[in-house]
Amino acid sequence: MESNEHVQQDKNLLNFIEAKIEADLQSGRYGQKVYTRFPPEPNGYLHIGHAKSICLNFGIAQKYGGRTNIRFDDTNPVKEDVEYVDSIKEDVQWLGFHWAEEHYASDYFDQLYAWAVQLIKEGKAYVDETPQEVISKNRGVPTAPGVESEYRNRSVEENLTMFEKMKNGEFPDGYCVLRAKIDMSSPNMHMRDPIMYRILHAKHHRTGDKWCIYPMYDFAHGQSDSIEGITHSICTLEFEVHRPLYDWFCDNLHIHHPQQIEFARLNINYTVMSKRKLLQLVKEGYVSSWDDPRMPTICGLRRRGYTPESIRNFADTIGVAKRENVIDYSLLEFCVREDLNKKALRTMAVLDPVQLVIDNYPEEQTEMMDAVNNPENPETGVRKVPFGKYLWIERSDFMENPPKNFYRMSIGKEVRLKYAYIVRCDSVEKDAEGNISVIHCTYFPETRSGMPESNRKVKGTIHWVSENHCQQAEVRLFDRLFSVPDPDDVPEGHSFLEHLNPDSLKIVNACVESSFIDKSPLAKYQFERLGYFCIDKDSTPEKLVFNRTVALKDSWAKLAKQE
Ligand code: ATP
Ligand code: MG
């Protein structure tokens, strides 16, 4: 697993963020306060990368007895929506976190405007009427100074009038911008008179038509942190180059100055994580919805059967890194397996059934077999599973010409039917196409558990369900959504969509035990020998629908070894 090499080995060691915070606590820089925030832009559903950020921000505050806010970074009215706000809140809560305060960057628009005016008055900001392309071009390249705008030195009065007019809607979109007057020859391009405000005649989901100018991320984020008294503003690495600007605005406005700290964003192989691409998958119908169980969204993982604990544990295990890296998808699967092993009730289900008839078993007899609900958690007790002459077993558990190390069913061999008897396979019947349609067996009454021969040794144990007592269920088997480790890696003119795995969803009709205790959506089970499954929200009392969360074993690891 070359990609997981950075995984923190010793959980007692401080990561670099904790080390910074402890240094600040020691120096008393922010008193004894640790105040973080999670600042999503409400332009899509949260994904597993956001989960990492949530666990980090809330986790750190918890560790140091601090607080965490949720703040919607809603400075771009065009792409944002309340639907997203609601889903984000639901997902954060589902992950098990509680924010101290709920805020919206848009609540600060008045204050931000006042601060912009203040900077103009101090000669630190100006309205630039240069066309956008020319502004970009004049910024130049890092190795040589940029070209100053002809509007850079206009008077404070003129700037104030122009900015007022911008606000009053007297100019069309894109006519001019407000820029900070910093340094056109800075080697950091973000310091070359960055844009603070742009004109956008668009309705905002909270402020409606009140504003037609909107602050840029850099002029909103640090100040929002400051207003809320945030001490440590944790963000992803791409904002490292923005930090001098974050600091510049706080310093020049003389306001509380939080410490921005950057960490490497989470990347996972075999999936994409940008909201834009996830939206495209939904909009163009490659998946059913944001909560399609194949999506790396939090709601997708939830519907897939992931638990909050498994995701928190995943976030914890990968730790925080200072350099970009790619985490193996199997690690996520490992974390959910580990958690469900403790929690999921066991049950038997046959996904690809073939009939098994026990020739010497009485036609009308039904026995109730004791089956353990969860060997990892004895408190869950045992249930009674009906057993009869006619059973379903997994087609793959029988082989006509078995290789040497095949310990399941073949003619003349004995296996144990789990929780029941040892049977010997005698013969098979085939249909017109030559497929096996019935397997005939003999059972040994003394081999039932508690009977004299219950300890008789056989090499294989297989699961089953009783034909007359089972129910049919639709089972959705998911595989990775993309068939290559890095779907984003495509040549010019090609799309990540070309790497979609055509076999990422397979639907089968399975026979399952009828003894389910809980049929409510998200109820989680281990289908013995097959994997972890949960009830899907499409399920009805008449027709159960299950999602496979994860198989018991990592089939991709085996594939990787073979290659
Ligand atoms: P995307 O590029 O997927 O749209 P984003 O960074 O634009 O993501 P935001 O809503 O702005 O999404 O992010 C909210 C918070 O979550 C930010 O602090 C951001 O740094 C963090 N975040 C987003 N993606 C990841 C990731 N893959 N790993 C860790 N943190 C992330
Ligand atoms: Mg963003």
Side-chain angles (χ1 to χ4, degrees), residues 37-43 46-50 52-53 57 73 221 234-236 238-239 263-267 273-276:
R37 85 288 171 262
F38 172 63
E41 185 180 352
N43 62 348
L46 297 183
H47 52 61
I48 181 78
H50 294 113
K52 170 69 211 172
S53 172
N57 278 294
D73 193 351
H221 201 89
I234 302 169
C235 61
T236 43
E238 66 271 25
F239 291 101
F263 73 103
R265 64 197 294 118
L266 166 66
N267 302 298
M273 221 120 75
S274 106
K275 279 184 273 189
R276 185 177 57 77

PDB file of all heavy atoms in Angstrom, residues 37-43 46-50 52-53 57 73 221 234-236 238-239 263-267 273-276, ligand 1:
ATOM      1  N   ARG A  37     -13.540  26.327  12.920  1.00  0.00           N
ATOM      2  CA  ARG A  37     -14.801  26.398  12.170  1.00  0.00           C
ATOM      3  C   ARG A  37     -14.719  25.432  10.994  1.00  0.00           C
ATOM      4  O   ARG A  37     -13.630  25.123  10.508  1.00  0.00           O
ATOM      5  CB  ARG A  37     -15.106  27.826  11.688  1.00  0.00           C
ATOM      6  CG  ARG A  37     -14.450  28.218  10.384  1.00  0.00           C
ATOM      7  CD  ARG A  37     -12.961  28.422  10.514  1.00  0.00           C
ATOM      8  NE  ARG A  37     -12.346  28.596   9.237  1.00  0.00           N
ATOM      9  CZ  ARG A  37     -11.720  27.624   8.551  1.00  0.00           C
ATOM     10  NH1 ARG A  37     -11.633  26.403   9.037  1.00  0.00           N
ATOM     11  NH2 ARG A  37     -11.193  27.862   7.387  1.00  0.00           N
ATOM     12  N   PHE A  38     -15.895  24.976  10.553  1.00  0.00           N
ATOM     13  CA  PHE A  38     -15.969  24.224   9.305  1.00  0.00           C
ATOM     14  C   PHE A  38     -16.737  25.110   8.320  1.00  0.00           C
ATOM     15  O   PHE A  38     -17.890  25.445   8.576  1.00  0.00           O
ATOM     16  CB  PHE A  38     -16.677  22.882   9.527  1.00  0.00           C
ATOM     17  CG  PHE A  38     -16.938  22.154   8.240  1.00  0.00           C
ATOM     18  CD1 PHE A  38     -15.886  21.745   7.446  1.00  0.00           C
ATOM     19  CD2 PHE A  38     -18.238  21.902   7.810  1.00  0.00           C
ATOM     20  CE1 PHE A  38     -16.120  21.105   6.228  1.00  0.00           C
ATOM     21  CE2 PHE A  38     -18.474  21.259   6.606  1.00  0.00           C
ATOM     22  CZ  PHE A  38     -17.409  20.858   5.811  1.00  0.00           C
ATOM     23  N   PRO A  39     -16.092  25.518   7.211  1.00  0.00           N
ATOM     24  CA  PRO A  39     -16.679  26.544   6.347  1.00  0.00           C
ATOM     25  C   PRO A  39     -17.067  26.073   4.942  1.00  0.00           C
ATOM     26  O   PRO A  39     -16.465  26.482   3.958  1.00  0.00           O
ATOM     27  CB  PRO A  39     -15.533  27.542   6.237  1.00  0.00           C
ATOM     28  CG  PRO A  39     -14.301  26.650   6.207  1.00  0.00           C
ATOM     29  CD  PRO A  39     -14.644  25.381   6.925  1.00  0.00           C
ATOM     30  N   PRO A  40     -18.057  25.214   4.799  1.00  0.00           N
ATOM     31  CA  PRO A  40     -18.402  24.725   3.465  1.00  0.00           C
ATOM     32  C   PRO A  40     -19.074  25.788   2.600  1.00  0.00           C
ATOM     33  O   PRO A  40     -19.794  26.643   3.117  1.00  0.00           O
ATOM     34  CB  PRO A  40     -19.399  23.603   3.752  1.00  0.00           C
ATOM     35  CG  PRO A  40     -20.054  24.019   5.026  1.00  0.00           C
ATOM     36  CD  PRO A  40     -18.968  24.687   5.826  1.00  0.00           C
ATOM     37  N   GLU A  41     -18.840  25.692   1.309  1.00  0.00           N
ATOM     38  CA  GLU A  41     -19.604  26.502   0.370  1.00  0.00           C
ATOM     39  C   GLU A  41     -20.844  25.681   0.021  1.00  0.00           C
ATOM     40  O   GLU A  41     -20.716  24.528  -0.401  1.00  0.00           O
ATOM     41  CB  GLU A  41     -18.755  26.760  -0.882  1.00  0.00           C
ATOM     42  CG  GLU A  41     -19.443  27.697  -1.845  1.00  0.00           C
ATOM     43  CD  GLU A  41     -18.615  27.971  -3.111  1.00  0.00           C
ATOM     44  OE1 GLU A  41     -17.447  27.555  -3.166  1.00  0.00           O
ATOM     45  OE2 GLU A  41     -19.182  28.587  -4.024  1.00  0.00           O
ATOM     46  N   PRO A  42     -22.047  26.243   0.211  1.00  0.00           N
ATOM     47  CA  PRO A  42     -23.251  25.428  -0.042  1.00  0.00           C
ATOM     48  C   PRO A  42     -23.562  25.298  -1.529  1.00  0.00           C
ATOM     49  O   PRO A  42     -24.593  25.754  -2.003  1.00  0.00           O
ATOM     50  CB  PRO A  42     -24.356  26.181   0.709  1.00  0.00           C
ATOM     51  CG  PRO A  42     -23.880  27.594   0.769  1.00  0.00           C
ATOM     52  CD  PRO A  42     -22.384  27.578   0.749  1.00  0.00           C
ATOM     53  N   ASN A  43     -22.641  24.672  -2.256  1.00  0.00           N
ATOM     54  CA  ASN A  43     -22.843  24.500  -3.698  1.00  0.00           C
ATOM     55  C   ASN A  43     -22.822  23.027  -4.095  1.00  0.00           C
ATOM     56  O   ASN A  43     -22.547  22.674  -5.228  1.00  0.00           O
ATOM     57  CB  ASN A  43     -21.774  25.284  -4.481  1.00  0.00           C
ATOM     58  CG  ASN A  43     -20.367  24.793  -4.198  1.00  0.00           C
ATOM     59  OD1 ASN A  43     -20.154  24.021  -3.268  1.00  0.00           O
ATOM     60  ND2 ASN A  43     -19.415  25.221  -4.989  1.00  0.00           N
ATOM     61  N   LEU A  46     -21.775  17.270   0.744  1.00  0.00           N
ATOM     62  CA  LEU A  46     -20.450  17.010   1.312  1.00  0.00           C
ATOM     63  C   LEU A  46     -19.949  15.634   0.905  1.00  0.00           C
ATOM     64  O   LEU A  46     -20.715  14.690   0.769  1.00  0.00           O
ATOM     65  CB  LEU A  46     -20.499  17.082   2.841  1.00  0.00           C
ATOM     66  CG  LEU A  46     -20.866  18.429   3.452  1.00  0.00           C
ATOM     67  CD1 LEU A  46     -20.802  18.339   4.974  1.00  0.00           C
ATOM     68  CD2 LEU A  46     -19.963  19.543   2.939  1.00  0.00           C
ATOM     69  N   HIS A  47     -18.631  15.538   0.727  1.00  0.00           N
ATOM     70  CA  HIS A  47     -18.033  14.240   0.399  1.00  0.00           C
ATOM     71  C   HIS A  47     -17.043  13.828   1.486  1.00  0.00           C
ATOM     72  O   HIS A  47     -16.843  14.550   2.474  1.00  0.00           O
ATOM     73  CB  HIS A  47     -17.404  14.274  -0.992  1.00  0.00           C
ATOM     74  CG  HIS A  47     -16.453  15.403  -1.232  1.00  0.00           C
ATOM     75  ND1 HIS A  47     -15.293  15.567  -0.498  1.00  0.00           N
ATOM     76  CD2 HIS A  47     -16.494  16.441  -2.123  1.00  0.00           C
ATOM     77  CE1 HIS A  47     -14.648  16.637  -0.934  1.00  0.00           C
ATOM     78  NE2 HIS A  47     -15.361  17.199  -1.916  1.00  0.00           N
ATOM     79  N   ILE A  48     -16.416  12.687   1.279  1.00  0.00           N
ATOM     80  CA  ILE A  48     -15.543  12.118   2.301  1.00  0.00           C
ATOM     81  C   ILE A  48     -14.359  13.055   2.602  1.00  0.00           C
ATOM     82  O   ILE A  48     -13.850  13.077   3.726  1.00  0.00           O
ATOM     83  CB  ILE A  48     -15.097  10.687   1.891  1.00  0.00           C
ATOM     84  CG1 ILE A  48     -14.205  10.024   2.936  1.00  0.00           C
ATOM     85  CG2 ILE A  48     -14.444  10.662   0.521  1.00  0.00           C
ATOM     86  CD1 ILE A  48     -14.938   9.494   4.114  1.00  0.00           C
ATOM     87  N   GLY A  49     -13.963  13.867   1.623  1.00  0.00           N
ATOM     88  CA  GLY A  49     -12.907  14.858   1.872  1.00  0.00           C
ATOM     89  C   GLY A  49     -13.361  15.884   2.905  1.00  0.00           C
ATOM     90  O   GLY A  49     -12.613  16.258   3.810  1.00  0.00           O
ATOM     91  N   HIS A  50     -14.617  16.330   2.769  1.00  0.00           N
ATOM     92  CA  HIS A  50     -15.165  17.246   3.773  1.00  0.00           C
ATOM     93  C   HIS A  50     -15.234  16.572   5.132  1.00  0.00           C
ATOM     94  O   HIS A  50     -15.012  17.214   6.160  1.00  0.00           O
ATOM     95  CB  HIS A  50     -16.562  17.719   3.363  1.00  0.00           C
ATOM     96  CG  HIS A  50     -16.579  18.564   2.128  1.00  0.00           C
ATOM     97  ND1 HIS A  50     -17.169  18.140   0.958  1.00  0.00           N
ATOM     98  CD2 HIS A  50     -16.043  19.783   1.862  1.00  0.00           C
ATOM     99  CE1 HIS A  50     -17.026  19.090   0.038  1.00  0.00           C
ATOM    100  NE2 HIS A  50     -16.338  20.085   0.554  1.00  0.00           N
ATOM    101  N   LYS A  52     -13.229  14.529   6.342  1.00  0.00           N
ATOM    102  CA  LYS A  52     -11.888  14.651   6.937  1.00  0.00           C
ATOM    103  C   LYS A  52     -11.741  16.013   7.617  1.00  0.00           C
ATOM    104  O   LYS A  52     -11.283  16.117   8.752  1.00  0.00           O
ATOM    105  CB  LYS A  52     -10.826  14.452   5.850  1.00  0.00           C
ATOM    106  CG  LYS A  52      -9.421  14.774   6.256  1.00  0.00           C
ATOM    107  CD  LYS A  52      -8.868  13.793   7.266  1.00  0.00           C
ATOM    108  CE  LYS A  52      -7.875  14.469   8.189  1.00  0.00           C
ATOM    109  NZ  LYS A  52      -7.448  13.647   9.294  1.00  0.00           N
ATOM    110  N   SER A  53     -12.151  17.054   6.899  1.00  0.00           N
ATOM    111  CA  SER A  53     -12.035  18.413   7.428  1.00  0.00           C
ATOM    112  C   SER A  53     -12.930  18.611   8.665  1.00  0.00           C
ATOM    113  O   SER A  53     -12.534  19.255   9.642  1.00  0.00           O
ATOM    114  CB  SER A  53     -12.411  19.403   6.321  1.00  0.00           C
ATOM    115  OG  SER A  53     -12.495  20.705   6.800  1.00  0.00           O
ATOM    116  N   ASN A  57     -11.506  19.609  12.299  1.00  0.00           N
ATOM    117  CA  ASN A  57     -11.875  20.850  12.980  1.00  0.00           C
ATOM    118  C   ASN A  57     -12.605  20.603  14.299  1.00  0.00           C
ATOM    119  O   ASN A  57     -12.269  21.206  15.318  1.00  0.00           O
ATOM    120  CB  ASN A  57     -12.743  21.716  12.060  1.00  0.00           C
ATOM    121  CG  ASN A  57     -11.899  22.520  11.089  1.00  0.00           C
ATOM    122  OD1 ASN A  57     -11.143  23.399  11.493  1.00  0.00           O
ATOM    123  ND2 ASN A  57     -11.991  22.196   9.809  1.00  0.00           N
ATOM    124  N   ASP A  73     -20.065  29.416   3.546  1.00  0.00           N
ATOM    125  CA  ASP A  73     -19.274  30.377   2.803  1.00  0.00           C
ATOM    126  C   ASP A  73     -20.070  30.726   1.546  1.00  0.00           C
ATOM    127  O   ASP A  73     -19.788  30.242   0.461  1.00  0.00           O
ATOM    128  CB  ASP A  73     -17.941  29.678   2.473  1.00  0.00           C
ATOM    129  CG  ASP A  73     -16.914  30.655   1.972  1.00  0.00           C
ATOM    130  OD1 ASP A  73     -17.285  31.821   1.718  1.00  0.00           O
ATOM    131  OD2 ASP A  73     -15.755  30.254   1.827  1.00  0.00           O
ATOM    132  N   HIS A 221     -13.174  35.497   3.827  1.00  0.00           N
ATOM    133  CA  HIS A 221     -12.928  34.353   4.703  1.00  0.00           C
ATOM    134  C   HIS A 221     -12.232  34.727   6.017  1.00  0.00           C
ATOM    135  O   HIS A 221     -12.720  34.421   7.103  1.00  0.00           O
ATOM    136  CB  HIS A 221     -12.140  33.270   3.961  1.00  0.00           C
ATOM    137  CG  HIS A 221     -12.306  31.945   4.602  1.00  0.00           C
ATOM    138  ND1 HIS A 221     -13.314  31.081   4.263  1.00  0.00           N
ATOM    139  CD2 HIS A 221     -11.622  31.355   5.595  1.00  0.00           C
ATOM    140  CE1 HIS A 221     -13.241  30.007   5.027  1.00  0.00           C
ATOM    141  NE2 HIS A 221     -12.216  30.139   5.844  1.00  0.00           N
ATOM    142  N   ILE A 234      -8.304  26.290   9.920  1.00  0.00           N
ATOM    143  CA  ILE A 234      -7.653  25.170   9.235  1.00  0.00           C
ATOM    144  C   ILE A 234      -8.230  25.016   7.838  1.00  0.00           C
ATOM    145  O   ILE A 234      -9.450  24.975   7.661  1.00  0.00           O
ATOM    146  CB  ILE A 234      -7.856  23.876  10.052  1.00  0.00           C
ATOM    147  CG1 ILE A 234      -7.271  24.069  11.467  1.00  0.00           C
ATOM    148  CG2 ILE A 234      -7.208  22.687   9.357  1.00  0.00           C
ATOM    149  CD1 ILE A 234      -7.649  22.969  12.437  1.00  0.00           C
ATOM    150  N   CYS A 235      -7.363  24.952   6.837  1.00  0.00           N
ATOM    151  CA  CYS A 235      -7.844  24.824   5.469  1.00  0.00           C
ATOM    152  C   CYS A 235      -6.892  23.945   4.670  1.00  0.00           C
ATOM    153  O   CYS A 235      -5.873  23.492   5.195  1.00  0.00           O
ATOM    154  CB  CYS A 235      -7.964  26.202   4.829  1.00  0.00           C
ATOM    155  SG  CYS A 235      -6.392  27.035   4.769  1.00  0.00           S
ATOM    156  N   THR A 236      -7.214  23.712   3.423  1.00  0.00           N
ATOM    157  CA  THR A 236      -6.387  22.807   2.622  1.00  0.00           C
ATOM    158  C   THR A 236      -5.245  23.569   1.948  1.00  0.00           C
ATOM    159  O   THR A 236      -5.266  24.791   1.821  1.00  0.00           O
ATOM    160  CB  THR A 236      -7.250  22.025   1.619  1.00  0.00           C
ATOM    161  OG1 THR A 236      -8.183  22.914   1.027  1.00  0.00           O
ATOM    162  CG2 THR A 236      -8.001  20.915   2.311  1.00  0.00           C
ATOM    163  N   GLU A 238      -4.045  24.305  -0.862  1.00  0.00           N
ATOM    164  CA  GLU A 238      -4.053  25.278  -1.960  1.00  0.00           C
ATOM    165  C   GLU A 238      -4.201  26.710  -1.431  1.00  0.00           C
ATOM    166  O   GLU A 238      -3.966  27.669  -2.166  1.00  0.00           O
ATOM    167  CB  GLU A 238      -5.126  24.931  -3.001  1.00  0.00           C
ATOM    168  CG  GLU A 238      -6.563  25.020  -2.545  1.00  0.00           C
ATOM    169  CD  GLU A 238      -7.095  23.724  -1.925  1.00  0.00           C
ATOM    170  OE1 GLU A 238      -6.284  22.927  -1.413  1.00  0.00           O
ATOM    171  OE2 GLU A 238      -8.322  23.534  -1.934  1.00  0.00           O
ATOM    172  N   PHE A 239      -4.568  26.859  -0.167  1.00  0.00           N
ATOM    173  CA  PHE A 239      -4.709  28.200   0.396  1.00  0.00           C
ATOM    174  C   PHE A 239      -3.435  28.717   1.054  1.00  0.00           C
ATOM    175  O   PHE A 239      -3.395  29.846   1.546  1.00  0.00           O
ATOM    176  CB  PHE A 239      -5.879  28.248   1.380  1.00  0.00           C
ATOM    177  CG  PHE A 239      -7.198  28.098   0.683  1.00  0.00           C
ATOM    178  CD1 PHE A 239      -7.875  26.887   0.689  1.00  0.00           C
ATOM    179  CD2 PHE A 239      -7.734  29.156  -0.031  1.00  0.00           C
ATOM    180  CE1 PHE A 239      -9.075  26.732  -0.001  1.00  0.00           C
ATOM    181  CE2 PHE A 239      -8.935  29.014  -0.719  1.00  0.00           C
ATOM    182  CZ  PHE A 239      -9.606  27.803  -0.704  1.00  0.00           C
ATOM    183  N   PHE A 263      -3.400  22.023   5.593  1.00  0.00           N
ATOM    184  CA  PHE A 263      -3.036  20.594   5.549  1.00  0.00           C
ATOM    185  C   PHE A 263      -3.418  20.052   4.169  1.00  0.00           C
ATOM    186  O   PHE A 263      -4.196  20.676   3.447  1.00  0.00           O
ATOM    187  CB  PHE A 263      -3.733  19.811   6.668  1.00  0.00           C
ATOM    188  CG  PHE A 263      -5.212  19.600   6.436  1.00  0.00           C
ATOM    189  CD1 PHE A 263      -5.689  18.366   6.011  1.00  0.00           C
ATOM    190  CD2 PHE A 263      -6.117  20.626   6.618  1.00  0.00           C
ATOM    191  CE1 PHE A 263      -7.051  18.166   5.786  1.00  0.00           C
ATOM    192  CE2 PHE A 263      -7.475  20.447   6.394  1.00  0.00           C
ATOM    193  CZ  PHE A 263      -7.937  19.207   5.976  1.00  0.00           C
ATOM    194  N   ALA A 264      -2.859  18.890   3.839  1.00  0.00           N
ATOM    195  CA  ALA A 264      -3.098  18.306   2.514  1.00  0.00           C
ATOM    196  C   ALA A 264      -4.514  17.758   2.432  1.00  0.00           C
ATOM    197  O   ALA A 264      -4.969  17.054   3.328  1.00  0.00           O
ATOM    198  CB  ALA A 264      -2.098  17.195   2.238  1.00  0.00           C
ATOM    199  N   ARG A 265      -5.212  18.074   1.343  1.00  0.00           N
ATOM    200  CA  ARG A 265      -6.575  17.567   1.207  1.00  0.00           C
ATOM    201  C   ARG A 265      -6.545  16.059   1.033  1.00  0.00           C
ATOM    202  O   ARG A 265      -5.547  15.475   0.613  1.00  0.00           O
ATOM    203  CB  ARG A 265      -7.326  18.248   0.076  1.00  0.00           C
ATOM    204  CG  ARG A 265      -6.769  18.025  -1.314  1.00  0.00           C
ATOM    205  CD  ARG A 265      -7.302  19.053  -2.309  1.00  0.00           C
ATOM    206  NE  ARG A 265      -8.722  18.951  -2.560  1.00  0.00           N
ATOM    207  CZ  ARG A 265      -9.608  19.922  -2.278  1.00  0.00           C
ATOM    208  NH1 ARG A 265      -9.232  21.023  -1.708  1.00  0.00           N
ATOM    209  NH2 ARG A 265     -10.877  19.783  -2.580  1.00  0.00           N
ATOM    210  N   LEU A 266      -7.632  15.448   1.388  1.00  0.00           N
ATOM    211  CA  LEU A 266      -7.750  14.003   1.246  1.00  0.00           C
ATOM    212  C   LEU A 266      -8.081  13.640  -0.201  1.00  0.00           C
ATOM    213  O   LEU A 266      -9.011  14.191  -0.787  1.00  0.00           O
ATOM    214  CB  LEU A 266      -8.862  13.494   2.178  1.00  0.00           C
ATOM    215  CG  LEU A 266      -9.362  12.077   1.927  1.00  0.00           C
ATOM    216  CD1 LEU A 266      -8.275  11.058   2.209  1.00  0.00           C
ATOM    217  CD2 LEU A 266     -10.582  11.793   2.791  1.00  0.00           C
ATOM    218  N   ASN A 267      -7.306  12.751  -0.753  1.00  0.00           N
ATOM    219  CA  ASN A 267      -7.628  12.166  -2.054  1.00  0.00           C
ATOM    220  C   ASN A 267      -7.760  10.664  -1.854  1.00  0.00           C
ATOM    221  O   ASN A 267      -6.985  10.077  -1.104  1.00  0.00           O
ATOM    222  CB  ASN A 267      -6.508  12.413  -3.064  1.00  0.00           C
ATOM    223  CG  ASN A 267      -6.226  13.893  -3.243  1.00  0.00           C
ATOM    224  OD1 ASN A 267      -7.089  14.637  -3.676  1.00  0.00           O
ATOM    225  ND2 ASN A 267      -5.023  14.322  -2.886  1.00  0.00           N
ATOM    226  N   MET A 273     -13.546  13.658  -6.388  1.00  0.00           N
ATOM    227  CA  MET A 273     -14.016  14.307  -5.174  1.00  0.00           C
ATOM    228  C   MET A 273     -14.399  15.768  -5.367  1.00  0.00           C
ATOM    229  O   MET A 273     -14.820  16.399  -4.420  1.00  0.00           O
ATOM    230  CB  MET A 273     -12.972  14.175  -4.093  1.00  0.00           C
ATOM    231  CG  MET A 273     -13.599  13.877  -2.767  1.00  0.00           C
ATOM    232  SD  MET A 273     -13.073  12.367  -2.070  1.00  0.00           S
ATOM    233  CE  MET A 273     -11.470  12.709  -1.503  1.00  0.00           C
ATOM    234  N   SER A 274     -14.270  16.292  -6.594  1.00  0.00           N
ATOM    235  CA  SER A 274     -14.658  17.694  -6.699  1.00  0.00           C
ATOM    236  C   SER A 274     -16.180  17.765  -6.827  1.00  0.00           C
ATOM    237  O   SER A 274     -16.808  16.946  -7.497  1.00  0.00           O
ATOM    238  CB  SER A 274     -13.949  18.369  -7.873  1.00  0.00           C
ATOM    239  OG  SER A 274     -14.853  18.580  -8.927  1.00  0.00           O
ATOM    240  N   LYS A 275     -16.757  18.755  -6.158  1.00  0.00           N
ATOM    241  CA  LYS A 275     -18.214  18.882  -6.176  1.00  0.00           C
ATOM    242  C   LYS A 275     -18.727  19.083  -7.597  1.00  0.00           C
ATOM    243  O   LYS A 275     -19.805  18.612  -7.941  1.00  0.00           O
ATOM    244  CB  LYS A 275     -18.641  20.060  -5.289  1.00  0.00           C
ATOM    245  CG  LYS A 275     -18.685  19.679  -3.822  1.00  0.00           C
ATOM    246  CD  LYS A 275     -19.202  20.812  -2.967  1.00  0.00           C
ATOM    247  CE  LYS A 275     -18.081  21.725  -2.555  1.00  0.00           C
ATOM    248  NZ  LYS A 275     -18.463  22.737  -1.562  1.00  0.00           N
ATOM    249  N   ARG A 276     -17.926  19.782  -8.406  1.00  0.00           N
ATOM    250  CA  ARG A 276     -18.338  20.024  -9.783  1.00  0.00           C
ATOM    251  C   ARG A 276     -18.509  18.691 -10.526  1.00  0.00           C
ATOM    252  O   ARG A 276     -19.482  18.478 -11.236  1.00  0.00           O
ATOM    253  CB  ARG A 276     -17.273  20.886 -10.485  1.00  0.00           C
ATOM    254  CG  ARG A 276     -17.629  21.310 -11.886  1.00  0.00           C
ATOM    255  CD  ARG A 276     -16.542  22.233 -12.457  1.00  0.00           C
ATOM    256  NE  ARG A 276     -15.208  21.618 -12.454  1.00  0.00           N
ATOM    257  CZ  ARG A 276     -14.800  20.699 -13.339  1.00  0.00           C
ATOM    258  NH1 ARG A 276     -15.617  20.286 -14.287  1.00  0.00           N
ATOM    259  NH2 ARG A 276     -13.576  20.195 -13.260  1.00  0.00           N
TER     260      ARG A 276
HETATM  261  P1  ATP B   1     -14.558  20.864  -3.831  1.00  0.00           P
HETATM  262  O1  ATP B   1     -13.289  21.244  -4.540  1.00  0.00           O
HETATM  263  O2  ATP B   1     -14.770  19.414  -3.678  1.00  0.00           O
HETATM  264  O3  ATP B   1     -15.750  21.567  -4.359  1.00  0.00           O
HETATM  265  P2  ATP B   1     -14.144  22.773  -1.811  1.00  0.00           P
HETATM  266  O4  ATP B   1     -12.833  22.850  -1.138  1.00  0.00           O
HETATM  267  O5  ATP B   1     -14.483  23.806  -2.802  1.00  0.00           O
HETATM  268  O6  ATP B   1     -14.330  21.323  -2.352  1.00  0.00           O
HETATM  269  P3  ATP B   1     -15.703  23.761   0.346  1.00  0.00           P
HETATM  270  O7  ATP B   1     -17.156  23.644   0.550  1.00  0.00           O
HETATM  271  O8  ATP B   1     -15.139  25.086   0.018  1.00  0.00           O
HETATM  272  O9  ATP B   1     -15.307  22.719  -0.774  1.00  0.00           O
HETATM  273  O10 ATP B   1     -14.914  23.111   1.569  1.00  0.00           O
HETATM  274  C1  ATP B   1     -15.270  23.208   2.916  1.00  0.00           C
HETATM  275  C2  ATP B   1     -14.086  22.800   3.738  1.00  0.00           C
HETATM  276  O11 ATP B   1     -13.754  21.450   3.480  1.00  0.00           O
HETATM  277  C3  ATP B   1     -12.868  23.619   3.378  1.00  0.00           C
HETATM  278  O12 ATP B   1     -12.215  23.984   4.570  1.00  0.00           O
HETATM  279  C4  ATP B   1     -12.051  22.704   2.539  1.00  0.00           C
HETATM  280  O13 ATP B   1     -10.694  23.006   2.645  1.00  0.00           O
HETATM  281  C5  ATP B   1     -12.407  21.329   3.119  1.00  0.00           C
HETATM  282  N1  ATP B   1     -12.230  20.288   2.115  1.00  0.00           N
HETATM  283  C6  ATP B   1     -12.812  20.208   0.896  1.00  0.00           C
HETATM  284  N2  ATP B   1     -12.373  19.133   0.220  1.00  0.00           N
HETATM  285  C7  ATP B   1     -11.502  18.494   1.045  1.00  0.00           C
HETATM  286  C8  ATP B   1     -10.697  17.325   0.930  1.00  0.00           C
HETATM  287  N3  ATP B   1     -10.711  16.576  -0.172  1.00  0.00           N
HETATM  288  N4  ATP B   1      -9.932  16.975   1.980  1.00  0.00           N
HETATM  289  C9  ATP B   1      -9.920  17.715   3.093  1.00  0.00           C
HETATM  290  N5  ATP B   1     -10.634  18.823   3.266  1.00  0.00           N
HETATM  291  C10 ATP B   1     -11.417  19.230   2.262  1.00  0.00           C
END
